């Protein structure tokens, strides 16, 4: 027997011993791409029913101040490393198709840490952290399995993706580094990803803890063709009451995600895993609203927040988030505490029984004791939202204050309010979901009458709505010359715990606060690694790789 064979036998033995006594929670993360603050029913919109997502939220803990990065790649880098993207050179634009950039290979990622604790790890859907060589792809970076794609988006019906200028295109669909285009061709990818997730749950050996990262294409736009739904005619009928045809498409895309959430909860329940699971539902960044003018606007709504995807205004970085687990102390609750994407790495590591001091220097803060009620106070008091040294955007929150400098083009208010008279929110339909029935069966309120539940859920929804903090904003039209503070040159200071809509600049009145926050930014700037820039490499053209976007650089080629 060779040495490494003995070693691997030993490992198997050791793992099976720890398995037998393992009570580590399963961790399920649902990442929705470019979902807006006001797209879910539980934040107050009546426009698009999201009964399963809302049931998850009302039964769990709504994280009403969960901060992300302004765009996809930086957010996913933060989630995977527990570090602010400025430390990785990933604070700028998302990785472009055929661009030889990637999350630095010396970083140890969330799934790798969880594997140390005995977890099986699976990624379904989007990666977007680089693929120019095989070593950068999910399978090489801690995921036991991956079914999905490497770039920032794919078409919902056939996994094709184009470069931004539309000149080059190819298929982006992979299953454990093998071509998987056929599995996504002529199907709707939200459904395919959901079925894959259910298969992983069904096949899971429950003695082992599972980390499942389900990262949807939805509700990301697909270049200039915007969005795609499962069945266009049916969708037009179902959402005919929404006047904007693009928003009707958005409603269909989001509804499919809502159905998926219900199916995942059901699968976990049927497999008897849910009682020992953490389910986290998050947006990776703010919605790309109708006003965002970019190629990737999806008619999401961040109303009443200001700004959109790419912005460090709240609309770009205050993401939808809710968490459910029997282990979480305060359920049926809206948390106003600050969370950041980087927190999940140490939080999950701690939940899995790891000692967070093994994680080294990270920006993420372990929130597990806070979530489970072992610690009375939230450990996070400040968050760096970003420093983009090329665009000039930057923002930091310390305590009640936010110091922010933003590009003019991304600070307007916009998005559908979903509060028009013709819409009604149907709480009964939330309580009627199987999702609610299942989640409720794990609570102490199985015999509670429906009226009481309905009443409680309305109360939670009122807490999660932030309209009352944005009175000035409510009547403001989408107008960059409006009365709200401009933060393009000197930046603004907002009392963000009250002024959620960044209306009233206090920087001239509270100069000492400004100085304090500036000093913090100076300190962070010292740690900043110059951001990567996208350069399309023509060698990546899918025409050289059977029409697939594929890793195109091998280490051999780099030898001079
Ligand atoms: C997917 O949708 C696009 C855009 O509508 C269309 O051009 C393409 O032919 C579709 N692919 C398949 C396999 O139907
Ligand atoms: C975690 O690790 C640190 C440093 O190795 C050690 O001092 C501490 O006692 C450990 N904590 C637990 C709970 O094991
Ligand atoms: C609300 O949902 C319930 C349960 O699904 C349904 O029976 C009822 O018709 C709905 N009410 C309205 C006004 O749509
Ligand atoms: C969940 O697990 C706890 C502790 O093992 C047990 O007491 C409870 O009955 C379980 N609940 C359900 C709904 O299975
Ligand atoms: C149910 O109530 C018991 C006793 O009050 C408590 O110990 C337990 O944590 C509760 N379980 C849940 C899921 O809230
Ligand atoms: C907003 O507009 C409504 C209707 O025009 C009006 O009743 C309300 O007083 C306005 N609120 C504010 C804060 O201006
Ligand atoms: Ca995104």
């Amino acid at each position: 027997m060779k040495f490494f064979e003995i070693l691997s036998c030993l490992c198997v033995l050791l793992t099976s011993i720890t398995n037998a006594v393992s009570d580590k929670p399963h961790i399920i993360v649902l990442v929705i791409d470019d979902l807006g603050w006001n797209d879910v029913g539980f934040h107050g919109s009546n426009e698009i029913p999201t009964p399963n997502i809302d049931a998850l939220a009302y039964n769990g803990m709504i994280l009403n101040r969960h901060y992300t990065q302004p765009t996809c790649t930086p957010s996913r880098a933060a989630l995977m490393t527990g570090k602010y993207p400025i430390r990785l050179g990933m604070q700028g634009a998302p990785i472009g198709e055929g661009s030889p950039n990637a999350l630095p290979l010396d970083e140890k990622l969330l799934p790798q840490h969880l594997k140390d604790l005995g977890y099986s790890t699976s990624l379904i859907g989007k990666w977007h952290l680089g693929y120019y060589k095989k070593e950068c792809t999910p399978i090489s970076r801690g995921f036991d399995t991956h079914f999905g794609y490497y770039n920032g988006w794919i078409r919902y019906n056939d996994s094709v993706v184009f470069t931004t200028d539309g000149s080059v295109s190819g298929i982006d669909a992979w299953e454990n580094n093998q071509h998987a285009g056929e599995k996504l061709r002529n199907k709707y990818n939200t459904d395919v990803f959901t079925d894959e997730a259910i298969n992983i749950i069904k096949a899971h050996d429950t003695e082992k803890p599972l980390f499942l990262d389900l990262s949807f294409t939805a509700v990301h736009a697909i270049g200039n063709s915007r969005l795609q739904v499962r069945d266009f005619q049916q969708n037009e009928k179902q959402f005919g009451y929404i006047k904007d045809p693009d928003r009707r498409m958005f409603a269909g895309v989001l509804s499919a995600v809502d159905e998926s959430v219900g199916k995942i909860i059901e699968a976990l329940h049927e497999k008897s895993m849910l009682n020992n699971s953490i389910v986290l539902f998050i947006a990776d960044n703010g919605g790309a609203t109708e006003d965002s003018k970019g190629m990737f606007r999806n008619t999401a709504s961040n109303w009443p927040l200001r700004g959109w995807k790419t912005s460090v205004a709240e609309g770009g970085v205050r993401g939808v988030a809710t968490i459910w687990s029997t282990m979480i102390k305060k359920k049926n609750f809206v948390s106003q505490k600050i969370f950041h994407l980087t927190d999940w790495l140490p939080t999950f590591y701690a939940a899995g029984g790891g000692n967070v001091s093994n994680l080294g220097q990270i920006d993420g803060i372990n929130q597990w004791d806070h979530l489970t009620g072992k610690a009375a106070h939230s450990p996070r008091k400040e968050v760096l939202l970003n420093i983009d040294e090329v665009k000039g955007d930057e923002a930091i929150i310390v305590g009640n204050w936010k110091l922010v400098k933003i590009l003019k083009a991304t600070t307007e208010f916009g998005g559908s309010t979903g509060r028009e008279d013709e819409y009604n929110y149907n709480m009964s339909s939330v309580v009627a979901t199987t999702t609610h029935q299942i989640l409720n069966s794990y609570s102490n309120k199985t015999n509670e009458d429906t009226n009481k539940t309905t009443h409680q859920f309305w109360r939670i929804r009122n807490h999660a709505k932030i309209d009352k903090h944005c009175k000035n904003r409510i009547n403001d039209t989408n107008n960059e010359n409006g009365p709200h503070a401009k933060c393009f040159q000197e930046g603004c200071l907002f009392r963000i715990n009250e002024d959620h809509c960044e209306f009233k600049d206090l920087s001239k009145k509270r100069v000492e606060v400004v100085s304090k926050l500036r000093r913090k930014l100076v300190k962070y700037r010292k740690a900043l690694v110059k951001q990567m820039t996208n350069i399309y490499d023509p060698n990546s053209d899918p025409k050289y790789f059977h029409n697939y976007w594929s890793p195109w650089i091998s280490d051999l080629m780099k030898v001079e």
Side-chain angles (χ1 to χ4, degrees):
M1 232 188 214
K2 298 221 180 65
F3 175 69
F4 68 86
E5 283 173 345
I6 298 172
L7 204 70
S8 75
C9 282
L10 214 69
C11 282
V12 169
L13 202 71
L14 280 175
T15 331
S16 53
I17 290 167
T18 39
N19 281 351
V21 294
S22 166
D23 58 354
K24 300 176 196 307
H26 308 294
I27 299 168
I28 319 298
V29 182
L30 308 170
V31 185
I32 321 304
D33 205 342
D34 294 0
L35 179 68
W37 176 265
N38 192 45
D39 292 322
V40 289
F42 73 81
H43 276 159
S45 172
N46 305 331
E47 193 175 28
I48 303 167
T50 53
N52 293 292
I53 296 168
D54 294 1
L56 183 70
Y58 301 141
N59 278 282
M61 188 197 253
I62 295 172
L63 305 176
N64 237 27
R65 291 189 67 197
H66 180 269
Y67 287 98
T68 67
Q69 300 303 124
T71 55
C72 311
T73 297
S75 280
R76 285 147 207 272
L79 179 64
M80 285 294 143
T81 62
K83 293 183 182 174
Y84 291 142
I86 54 158
R87 298 190 199 279
L88 310 162
M90 305 203 84
Q91 64 274 30
I95 296 174
E97 300 78 25
S99 184
N101 291 331
L103 186 60
L105 287 170
D106 52 359
E107 291 297 327
K108 184 166 176 175
L109 307 190
L110 172 59
Q112 292 172 308
H113 288 296
L114 292 177
K115 273 171 81 75
D116 288 349
L117 302 176
Y119 278 76
S120 306
T121 57
S122 290
L123 173 67
I124 295 171
K126 167 160 153 172
W127 172 240
H128 212 183
L129 289 170
Y131 63 97
Y132 69 90
K133 58 181 183 178
K134 214 171 159 183
E135 289 79 355
C136 307
T137 63
I139 293 295
S140 302
R141 307 227 55 189
F143 285 105
D144 297 329
T145 71
H146 172 230
F147 173 77
Y149 55 103
Y150 298 149
N151 285 293
W153 57 278
I154 54 174
R155 271 201 315 226
Y156 290 81
N157 63 336
D158 59 8
S159 70
V160 167
V161 58
F162 293 80
T163 49
T164 308
D165 67 4
S167 64
V168 184
S169 72
I171 297 166
D172 187 357
W174 297 88
E175 182 161 28
N176 306 330
N177 291 335
Q178 305 296 313
H179 292 170
E182 281 312 308
K183 283 184 109 166
L184 287 159
R185 203 180 138 72
N186 267 320
K187 301 200 179 67
Y188 193 59
N189 82 9
T190 302
D191 298 334
V192 180
F193 292 149
T194 304
D195 288 346
E196 285 293 322
I198 291 169
N199 287 342
I200 282 177
I201 291 164
K202 280 190 174 154
H204 185 67
D205 168 6
T206 49
E207 301 229 305
K208 262 190 116 175
L210 171 68
F211 171 53
L212 175 62
D213 182 353
L214 173 51
S215 181
F216 294 93
T217 306
V219 290
H220 201 290
I222 50 167
N224 293 323
S225 43
R226 298 274 184 105
L227 284 166
Q228 293 173 307
V229 293
R230 203 185 277 141
D231 177 339
F232 180 76
Q233 297 307 336
Q234 192 276 333
N235 195 72
E236 287 289 292
K237 237 164 84 186
Q238 186 177 351
F239 297 106
Y241 62 90
I242 299 175
K243 289 181 201 86
D244 176 355
D246 291 333
R247 183 77 176 158
R248 285 204 288 278
M249 296 292 274
F250 182 93
V253 177
L254 179 56
S255 286
V257 173
D258 187 69
E259 287 166 30
S260 173
V261 169
K263 287 181 185 165
I264 302 291
I265 294 295
E266 220 171 312
L268 288 166
H269 174 66
E270 276 165 13
K271 182 77 179 182
S272 302
M273 285 166 69
L274 192 56
N275 203 5
N276 188 31
S277 288
I278 302 167
V279 181
L280 175 68
F281 176 97
I282 48 173
D284 70 335
N285 50 255
T289 64
E290 189 53 39
D291 318 85
S292 61
K293 300 179 182 78
M295 177 179 178
F296 293 109
R297 65 191 190 275
N298 63 357
T299 65
S301 170
N302 302 318
W303 197 93
L305 296 175
R306 192 173 173 180
W308 48 80
K309 177 181 179 178
T310 74
S311 174
V312 283
E314 296 286 281
V317 291
R318 186 168 166 179
V320 174
T322 188
I323 188 167
W324 181 92
S325 170
T326 55
M327 284 153 271
I328 284 173
K329 182 81 184 295
K330 286 189 176 164
K331 287 189 280 294
N332 315 114
F333 184 72
V334 182
S335 169
Q336 310 290 355
K337 303 287 187 237
I338 299 174
F339 283 74
H340 184 250
L341 277 174
T342 53
D343 295 345
W344 298 113
L345 185 145
T347 301
F348 291 154
Y349 191 73
N355 182 342
V356 291
S357 61
N358 297 338
L359 298 172
Q361 276 283 331
I362 55 171
D363 297 295
I365 296 178
N366 172 14
Q367 302 260 19
W368 188 239
D369 282 353
H370 171 57
L371 287 169
T372 53
K374 284 190 210 84
H377 298 288
S378 160
R380 186 179 272 287
K381 308 287 180 228
E382 70 174 64
V383 59
L384 176 74
L385 295 173
N386 207 24
I387 301 173
D388 185 322
E389 79 281 15
V390 173
K391 274 165 67 180
D393 280 15
E394 55 190 31
I396 187 169
I397 292 176
V398 180
N400 297 334
W401 299 99
K402 175 173 179 179
L403 186 69
V404 56
K405 203 173 117 203
I406 4 180
L407 271 189
K408 190 171 179 178
T410 61
T411 64
E412 293 159 49
F413 295 110
S416 167
T417 70
R419 283 153 179 76
E420 282 84 6
D421 289 344
E422 65 263 37
Y423 304 144
N424 283 305
Y425 186 76
N426 188 344
M427 192 60 89
S428 306
S429 73
V430 175
V431 176
T433 57
T434 310
T435 304
H436 169 68
Q437 313 286 313
I438 291 173
L439 296 176
N440 190 49
S441 74
Y442 293 89
S443 76
N444 280 350
K445 299 182 296 182
T446 39
N447 295 322
E448 194 172 276
D449 79 75
T450 310
N451 277 342
K452 205 171 156 199
T453 306
T454 307
H455 191 75
Q456 183 191 33
F457 285 6
W458 276 112
R459 218 174 47 234
I460 298 168
R461 188 170 186 259
N462 278 331
H463 284 159
K465 262 163 91 162
I466 57 171
D467 305 24
K468 56 186 171 293
H469 298 287
C470 297
K471 292 217 174 65
N472 289 323
R473 155 68 183 108
I474 303 295
N475 284 357
D476 192 39
T477 51
N478 178 28
N479 170 16
E480 67 171 79
N481 300 315
H484 53 278
K486 314 295 181 288
C487 315
F488 315 139
Q489 311 290 332
E490 297 300 309
C492 294
L493 180 73
F494 297 113
R495 198 191 289 275
I496 199 67
N497 63 322
E498 291 169 8
D499 184 7
H500 294 214
C501 290
E502 299 169 286
F503 202 84
K504 194 170 170 204
D505 175 26
L506 296 170
S507 62
K508 303 289 181 290
K509 288 204 179 111
R510 302 300 301 268
V511 283
E512 82 290 356
V513 180
V514 172
S515 310
K516 182 179 155 199
L517 269 58
R518 284 241 166 86
R519 280 199 298 278
K520 297 234 181 212
L521 280 175
V522 167
K523 214 176 105 214
Y524 280 118
R525 222 176 270 121
K526 285 192 182 128
L528 182 146
V529 173
K530 216 170 126 243
Q531 66 184 251
M532 300 171 186
T533 46
N534 282 319
I535 299 168
Y536 174 72
D537 180 349
N539 293 322
S540 70
D541 193 324
K543 74 183 177 194
Y544 304 124
F545 300 96
H546 306 97
N547 200 31
Y548 275 74
W549 290 100
S550 307
W552 68 96
I553 293 173
S554 73
D555 278 339
L556 281 177
M557 288 166 67
K558 281 181 120 182
V559 179
E560 271 144 58

